[in-house]
Amino acid sequence: MTATLDGGPSGLDFRLPAALEAHAPPEARGLSRDGVRLLVSRGGAHTHHPFGDLPAQLDPGDLVVVNNSATLPAAVRLDRLSVHFSTAREDGTWLVELRRRTAKASEPYGGGEPGEWLPLPGNATLRLIERETPRLWRARLDQDVEKYLARKGVPIRYSYVDRDWPLAAYQTVFGTVPGSAEMPSAGRPFTAELVTALVSRGVGVTPITLHTGVASPEKDEPPYAERYDVPEHTARLVNLTRRDGGRVIAVGTTVVRALETATGADGLVRASNGWTSHLVTPDTPPRAVTGLITGLHEPRSSHLLMLTAFAGRETLAEAYAEALREGYLWHEFGDVHLIQK
């Protein structure tokens, strides 16, 4: 199987066989969290490792930046619809996606009208205000959303995952600040023991926060604004690492987005927080981040455009062709890709 370059926004298209979709967490497949596979791409070469080999792929003085956002049980199921709570807005409204329930999970639902009221379980009411994007509504719940989701929500699940899993399956070892609609999944394979091994090797680990919204099910759909926070100590560590010749390795595209939002024209990262719509592309390449740990992304997804900024189009196409040939698994419970410059 091959991954081919095309003229679409992502520049990469391929067919993803259903057999290469991770249908369950690795723990349900008899593996540990860090028992997934690691594809390493560096300088046009691609090598294969267990994820537990990550410390050996990094050097003393490198810095790993992680996302400490914790996952909410962001899906509320009605009889025929599901409501996916995506992103909290400053005025107390939320962006939500309406989805039609199916036998396996759910699919996009194009209905709804401005001003419509939806009765939700637990005597709650959701009012649709206006469309924010073709598939996302700005809406208001008549209760505190996070407290309500803690009582009535379940983790968001798509059809390639064959059953419900508890919220703990969708948390990373770094998740301490609740707010993500979906797990910042590049951090999922990390364990406390692996973090200890990184630190023992002299590799630093430091957090940012970026609360992820719902995934884009539509090809070529760009991401939308998300809340982020780059603290002062992380900004300082990134700048010191770059000054001293170390590499800055982002765990997930969310970390890249946050750090690059906080990077000035002089290439220095400064503490900042708020909303980011920043896109990293070959035309707006990364300035602070020099490596990326990420999952394997769907054909023509907007994340692939970011990956081309790190690897280059030809190298990324070669890496994905290698992953397809070697049977790597996709999605949040799947395998991992380390891209190093």
Side-chain angles (χ1 to χ4, degrees), residues 46-47 66 77 106 115 168 206 211 223 238 269 284 304 331:
H46 310 288
T47 57
V66 302
R77 294 172 180 165
S106 64
T206 191
H211 295 310
V238 170
V269 177
T284 55
L304 290 172
H331 304 310

Side-chain angles (χ1 to χ4, degrees), residues 47-323:
T47 57
H48 308 280
H49 310 264
F51 187 76
D53 281 358
L54 177 65
Q57 302 302 316
L58 303 179
D59 298 323
D62 288 345
L63 181 66
V64 172
V65 186
V66 302
N67 187 354
N68 65 8
S69 179
T71 311
L72 300 172
V76 176
R77 294 172 180 165
L78 290 70
D79 289 340
R80 297 182 180 179
L81 294 179
S82 285
V83 179
H84 289 185
F85 285 80
S86 175
T87 307
R89 306 305 296 266
E90 292 174 314
D91 62 359
T93 63
W94 277 67
L95 296 186
V96 304
E97 181 182 16
L98 303 182
R99 295 180 67 88
R100 179 185 289 109
R101 294 188 64 180
T102 66
K104 291 186 175 181
S106 64
E107 61 186 18
Y109 172 68
E113 295 290 340
E116 184 177 350
W117 296 80
L118 297 178
L120 301 187
N123 296 317
T125 303
L126 182 74
R127 181 168 64 89
L128 304 180
I129 299 172
E130 61 182 359
R131 286 193 184 273
E132 187 87 3
T133 75
R135 68 187 179 91
L136 294 178
W137 286 90
R138 188 163 64 88
R140 185 180 297 275
L141 188 71
D142 63 353
Q143 301 183 21
D144 179 277
V145 171
E146 291 192 16
K147 290 180 179 178
Y148 175 75
L149 291 176
R151 292 188 292 110
K152 296 296 181 181
V154 296
I156 288 175
R157 175 173 68 86
Y158 295 111
S159 59
Y160 53 80
V161 175
D162 54 15
R163 49 155 282 193
D164 286 336
W165 295 96
L167 184 61
Y170 292 88
Q171 302 292 9
T172 74
V173 70
F174 308 112
T176 57
V177 184
S180 280
E182 298 182 15
M183 174 176 55
S185 55
R188 192 185 194 279
F190 285 81
T191 62
E193 292 78 12
L194 191 137
V195 173
T196 299
L198 286 169
V199 174
S200 297
R201 185 169 170 78
V203 175
V205 180
T206 191
I208 59 89
T209 305
L210 187 140
H211 295 310
T212 68
V214 296
S216 279
E218 317 232 353
K219 293 179 179 179
D220 302 327
E221 180 177 325
Y224 46 87
E226 294 170 312
R227 291 180 294 155
Y228 80 99
D229 179 29
V230 176
E232 173 62 38
H233 64 272
T234 291
R236 183 171 64 252
L237 284 171
V238 170
N239 294 333
L240 289 173
T241 299
R242 294 292 305 276
R243 185 199 68 185
D244 295 339
R247 292 173 296 177
V248 177
I249 309 296
V251 179
T253 58
T254 59
V255 174
V256 177
R257 197 179 197 195
L259 284 180
E260 294 300 325
T261 299
T263 302
D266 57 2
L268 295 176
V269 177
R270 294 173 175 82
S272 66
N273 61 76
W275 293 85
T276 178
S277 298
H278 184 72
L279 297 179
V280 173
T281 73
D283 294 328
T284 55
R287 296 162 294 173
V289 179
T290 53
L292 173 62
I293 296 170
T294 184
L296 293 160
H297 299 285
E298 292 184 341
R300 298 175 62 95
S301 73
S302 60
H303 293 303
L304 290 172
L305 193 60
M306 178 186 291
L307 270 57
T308 63
F310 282 91
R313 296 177 75 227
E314 294 286 351
T315 296
L316 186 65
E318 292 169 2
Y320 269 63
E322 186 86 359

